[in-house]
Amino acid sequence: MDWLVLFAIKKLRKANFQFSIFNFQFSIKCRTFAPMNTLHTHRRTAIVGGGAAGFFCAIQLGTMCPDMEITIFEQQQRVLRKVEISGGGRCNCTNTFADVTDLCQVYPRGAKLMKRLMKQFGPRDAFAWFERHGVPLTVQPDQCVFPKAQDSHAIIRCFLDEAQRLGVRLQVGQKVEDPRDLLATHDFVVVTTGGMLHTVRQDELWDEPLVRPVPSLFTFNIPDAALHQLMGIVVEHAVCSIPGTRFRAKGPLLLTHWGMSGPAILKLSSYAARHLAEADYQVLLSVSWAGENNADAVRAYLPDLLSNHSTKLTENLHPFGLNARLWAYLLDKVQLSGKRAGELGKKSINRLTELLTNDLYQISGRSPYKDEFVTCGGISLDAVHSQTLESRRTPHLFYAGEVLDIDGITGGFNFQAAWTTAYAVACGIGRYLQQNTGYSNE
């Protein structure tokens, strides 16, 4: 009999299992060899917010703790709304980070914490997770990652199917005023309510230190009717900045019927989110149509261009490959339209140099980027434990996603923050259960 039992243990020791011999029931828990992502315990977790971070946390927690009773509480009638509209309905779910040399470039707030947490679950892990769960991905030349189906519903279906398979409960139309109240009926509470654009004061929200939320990732309103006529024109290598500050961004710039948009503007709005809010979105914007070329480089370039095409009208020169309509608009601003290139003297060259490298516009407000929005601010990172994102003031209360003071520029970085922080919370709860139930993986 003994040899049979030992044989069975040797074959199946990597899992929790039951077997019977001659009508005797044996229950063997091989804790020494239990996999890190499987923990059997009867506990209850409430997740407040049915968005990207909420669902991903529920799925990870359900996978790590199969016996955990998990309920998602969503205030609205629909879940995963932001996932649905992201990327024009395609969902830019992450980024390869191949062009990122410093996380501060893509996370104006929270870069240090993201660097630490991404060691547990980074972009490669997210890419592998989606493909492993039936969502093939594709990488664009700008390193943005989308579902191959080019449809956000591929990710939504994946989340809903996984949540259902794991027995996650969903309560829609359920507003939770204070997540701490749920601790009376649940062992753990995870807040994943997304950005908080309502006006709040420091320490007013659930007694947690709060960095005042303000909008991020938006386009600029510019009151210039002539500029509005250029809507649809894209300048691929523009550099935008706010004079008198260090805020600067480069990339494609899109002219719109209300002002300016495109990656360069969206990145600048993210970098300068708090500065712009404090100025009530009434600041000057500097645009370098010559890209990274500085004033000295442009001033040296223009004389050769003018002398080589001295008989041409200035409208026909198109320096730095600028669109003809945009170049004509710029020339009108400095009253150099209709002149021959050879007629332009030193003063005109200086005016063109300033125009091409430091063209100033008055910002008079902001507009949301399509239906998307991101919040700068939220629960202070000093209010949570950096490894688990558990509240320092309220044990068993966790935060993940945009509710934290973490936000990124456009390009899939905000969704990566959602996956990374949600995974960290799930691991934090799992580690707590290991340490407090006698369970061990060693």
Side-chain angles (χ1 to χ4, degrees):
M1 181 71 67
D2 290 341
W3 68 268
L4 183 58
V5 174
L6 292 173
F7 177 81
I9 293 174
K10 183 176 180 180
K11 288 294 184 182
L12 300 172
R13 63 185 179 180
K14 291 187 178 181
N16 294 337
F17 63 95
Q18 291 185 336
F19 63 96
S20 64
I21 302 176
F22 302 124
N23 295 323
F24 289 96
Q25 296 290 328
F26 294 83
S27 178
I28 299 177
K29 292 186 177 180
C30 304
R31 293 175 178 172
T32 302
F33 300 97
M36 281 297 292
N37 65 341
T38 302
L39 177 60
H40 293 278
T41 181
H42 296 284
R43 299 293 183 99
R44 303 182 73 198
T45 295
I47 296 178
V48 184
F55 265 85
F56 201 71
C57 184
I59 291 168
Q60 296 303 321
L61 190 55
T63 302
M64 296 177 189
C65 309
D67 296 333
M68 176 76 76
E69 182 183 308
I70 304 168
T71 303
I72 297 175
F73 294 88
E74 169 56 43
Q75 179 178 344
Q76 306 299 324
Q77 293 297 324
R78 296 179 63 183
V79 297
L80 298 166
R81 175 61 177 157
K82 199 167 182 179
V83 173
E84 185 176 32
I85 64 177
S86 167
R90 298 184 299 140
C91 189
N92 182 187
C93 57
T94 187
N95 191 287
T96 67
F97 286 68
D99 297 333
V100 179
T101 57
D102 187 334
L103 285 185
C104 290
Q105 297 169 349
V106 294
Y107 291 109
R109 289 150 291 273
K112 184 177 180 180
L113 179 61
M114 283 298 295
K115 182 177 181 180
R116 172 180 293 183
L117 296 181
M118 282 172 60
K119 294 176 181 178
Q120 293 184 87
F121 194 90
R124 289 185 179 180
D125 302 301
F127 196 108
W129 188 91
F130 281 111
E131 295 224 316
R132 193 166 62 248
H133 288 80
V135 184
L137 302 177
T138 184
V139 180
Q140 293 188 164
D142 60 1
Q143 305 306 313
C144 292
V145 179
F146 291 84
K148 277 188 179 179
Q150 298 295 309
D151 186 353
S152 60
H153 291 94
I155 289 177
I156 293 173
R157 286 192 296 269
C158 170
F159 281 1
L160 293 176
D161 289 347
E162 275 297 294
Q164 183 178 28
R165 183 183 68 82
L166 293 167
V168 175
R169 302 177 180 183
L170 181 60
Q171 296 287 332
V172 297
Q174 297 289 321
K175 185 176 182 179
V176 178
E177 294 289 352
D178 189 337
R180 293 173 300 179
D181 294 341
L182 292 171
L183 287 171
T185 54
H186 294 77
D187 299 282
F188 308 98
V189 175
V190 185
V191 180
T192 61
T193 49
M196 300 173 295
L197 290 179
H198 52 278
T199 302
V200 291
R201 297 191 303 272
Q202 185 77 8
D203 291 334
E204 185 178 355
L205 192 69
W206 314 317
D207 292 329
E208 296 286 14
L210 186 72
V211 179
R212 184 173 69 89
V214 298
S216 181
L217 285 187
F218 48 83
T219 65
F220 296 158
N221 295 341
I222 298 174
D224 185 332
L227 182 71
H228 299 169
Q229 296 300 313
L230 303 176
M231 60 177 291
I233 292 176
V234 176
V235 178
E236 291 293 341
H237 303 290
V239 176
C240 303
S241 61
I242 298 176
T245 75
R246 300 177 64 181
F247 299 121
R248 182 176 182 273
K250 60 183 179 180
L253 184 152
L254 171 66
L255 300 178
T256 69
H257 65 274
W258 65 86
M260 296 185 185
S261 183
I265 296 296
L266 294 171
K267 284 191 284 187
L268 184 62
S269 77
S270 179
Y271 296 149
R274 197 160 297 283
H275 172 82
L276 290 166
E278 291 170 354
D280 197 25
Y281 308 100
Q282 306 289 324
V283 299
L284 281 177
L285 169 69
S286 171
V287 178
S288 172
W289 304 106
E292 299 271 27
N293 294 291
N294 60 26
D296 290 338
V298 173
R299 193 175 288 110
Y301 160 80
L302 286 176
D304 289 339
L305 176 69
L306 298 175
S307 64
N308 291 337
H309 304 280
S310 59
T311 60
K312 285 187 176 182
L313 292 173
T314 52
E315 293 93 316
N316 298 324
L317 296 180
H318 313 313
F320 304 104
L322 290 177
N323 174 278
R325 291 169 55 217
L326 173 59
W327 176 235
Y329 161 82
L330 295 174
L331 287 173
D332 284 341
K333 288 185 69 174
V334 290
Q335 300 177 339
L336 290 177
S337 298
K339 297 182 180 294
R340 301 286 177 183
E343 299 174 8
L344 302 186
K346 186 175 181 180
K347 287 186 178 180
S348 295
I349 290 175
N350 287 337
R351 287 159 65 190
L352 284 176
T353 298
E354 183 71 7
L355 179 76
L356 289 167
T357 61
N358 186 33
D359 192 15
L360 297 178
Y361 296 87
Q362 178 63 49
I363 298 173
S364 63
R366 62 179 180 84
S367 293
Y369 177 54
K370 299 180 180 178
D371 291 323
E372 302 178 49
F373 63 88
V374 171
T375 301
C376 157
I379 300 297
S380 171
L381 300 185
D382 293 332
V384 297
H385 295 282
S386 59
Q387 288 289 348
T388 63
L389 305 183
E390 182 180 15
S391 169
R392 292 183 182 275
R393 294 187 177 183
T394 308
H396 296 198
L397 177 64
F398 297 77
Y399 296 96
E402 199 182 335
V403 70
L404 291 163
D405 185 24
I406 299 174
D407 65 285
I409 64 174
T410 184
F413 301 105
N414 286 294
F415 274 130
Q416 183 58 54
W419 318 141
T420 296
T421 55
Y423 186 86
V425 168
C427 289
I429 293 174
R431 279 194 291 270
Y432 174 87
L433 293 174
Q434 289 179 1
Q435 295 167 2
N436 291 275
T437 61
Y439 179 90
S440 172
N441 288 102
E442 299 177 358

